[in-house]
Amino acid sequence: CLGYCETIEKLLGITAPPRAQYIRVILTELNRISSHLLWLGTHALDIGAMTVFLYAFREREEILKIFENYSGARLTTHMFRIGGTQYELYEGFQEQVKTFVNDFPKKVDEYETLLTENRIWIGRTRGVGVISAKDAIDLGLSGPSLRGSGVEWDLRKKKPYAAYADFQFDIPVGDHGDTYDRYMVRMEEMRQSARIVAQAVDKIPDGPLMAKLSKIIKPPIGDIYHSIEAPKGELGYYIVSDG
């Protein structure tokens, strides 16, 4: 989990190497697309659009192939480590990713052709489940649900992490906070994710995948720590890394 790794790295003052940062961005954005495709396919299926389900899972399968080639797993992927990434890129990784992101925007257009102006889809999503910007904030919504209510908040822009500050992309937001807006936000987010990956895959830096770490690292006392019983009966503040 990138969020967990970055939290521990911030706590310990660790900076992952640039190569690892770019690989993290690429895999994270591909995972964002995969997640949105799962949402789109099942959401459309619930509303009665079987074809979109098949289309969405067609593209999702190509992403899962990349994950499997990289980590050996399709769903329970284990790609990130505290201090960097676990695996070096496999031969053909960049070409496979480029092929996907270059073709994917046309696939999103196909989804929209089937749904965006479809009167049944509009009738079942527009004006449904309206959440105001204030309510979205008060309820602690995040991601597309928050942005669908018109709140332009994205940590990749507002507080960039990994290598996101190196890339150009837009933050889509909704106007009405209804189900239709949340749909449109996710559709555009998939395009923006493909845009990020296309930029990153052409500029992956050379260098190591992992920062140099000790097996046991003692974080600063008085900041954020977890007190545990040390083997000799002494209290210690330890985070164990397999880096």
Side-chain angles (χ1 to χ4, degrees):
C1 172
L2 180 56
Y4 175 78
C5 288
E6 291 241 347
T7 299
I8 301 302
E9 288 165 2
K10 185 176 181 181
L11 169 64
L12 299 179
I14 297 169
T15 301
R19 182 172 180 81
Q21 299 277 18
Y22 270 66
I23 294 172
R24 284 176 169 187
V25 167
I26 292 168
L27 296 173
T28 298
E29 290 306 312
L30 287 176
N31 192 70
R32 185 188 305 271
I33 295 173
S34 174
S35 176
H36 282 10
L37 288 174
L38 175 62
W39 164 83
L40 176 65
T42 54
H43 181 43
L45 188 62
D46 285 344
I47 291 183
M50 178 70 179
T51 302
V52 179
F53 175 84
L54 298 175
Y55 281 15
F57 272 65
R58 175 188 63 189
E59 275 67 72
R60 185 170 179 269
E61 176 66 21
E62 297 306 310
I63 295 175
L64 297 184
K65 288 178 183 177
I66 294 171
F67 291 166
E68 184 176 17
N69 289 338
Y70 180 76
S71 70
R74 290 162 56 88
L75 296 178
T76 55
T77 53
H78 45 93
M79 300 180 285
F80 304 149
R81 290 294 182 271
I82 296 169
T85 57
Q86 182 176 14
Y87 306 113
E88 185 52 88
L89 300 180
Y90 60 86
E91 184 177 352
F93 172 85
Q94 288 167 280
E95 290 73 19
Q96 189 174 9
V97 171
K98 285 181 184 179
T99 298
F100 176 80
V101 296
N102 289 338
D103 188 55
F104 183 66
K106 293 181 291 186
K107 304 301 184 181
V108 181
D109 291 342
E110 288 184 4
Y111 311 151
E112 287 220 61
T113 298
L114 292 169
L115 296 178
T116 302
E117 300 298 330
N118 185 304
R119 67 178 183 271
I120 298 175
W121 181 261
I122 292 173
R124 295 177 179 179
T125 59
R126 187 167 286 172
V128 175
V130 176
I131 305 174
S132 69
K134 182 181 182 304
D135 285 345
I137 294 171
D138 291 344
L139 290 169
L141 298 186
S142 62
S145 296
L146 177 64
R147 293 186 282 275
S149 293
V151 181
E152 189 178 338
W153 180 259
D154 190 323
L155 287 176
R156 296 172 299 170
K157 281 277 192 181
K158 304 300 183 181
K159 297 183 179 180
Y161 55 94
Y164 281 107
D166 295 348
F167 309 118
Q168 298 294 320
F169 61 99
D170 300 320
I171 305 174
V173 295
D175 296 319
H176 309 291
D178 56 10
T179 300
Y180 189 83
D181 273 3
R182 291 188 285 274
Y183 154 73
M184 292 301 297
V185 164
R186 284 183 171 90
M187 300 301 281
E188 184 57 29
E189 281 197 1
M190 289 194 288
R191 292 189 176 95
Q192 295 300 320
S193 289
R195 180 183 173 190
I196 293 169
V197 174
Q199 295 173 68
V201 75
D202 281 330
K203 301 191 297 183
I204 301 175
D206 295 327
L209 292 174
M210 287 290 298
K212 292 184 179 181
L213 303 176
S214 301
K215 287 293 182 181
I216 298 178
I217 304 173
K218 183 178 179 180
I221 295 175
D223 191 1
I224 303 171
Y225 60 86
H226 178 61
S227 179
I228 60 174
E229 188 72 11
K232 294 182 179 180
E234 301 174 352
L235 283 178
Y237 308 92
Y238 302 100
I239 290 180
V240 180
S241 166
D242 59 2

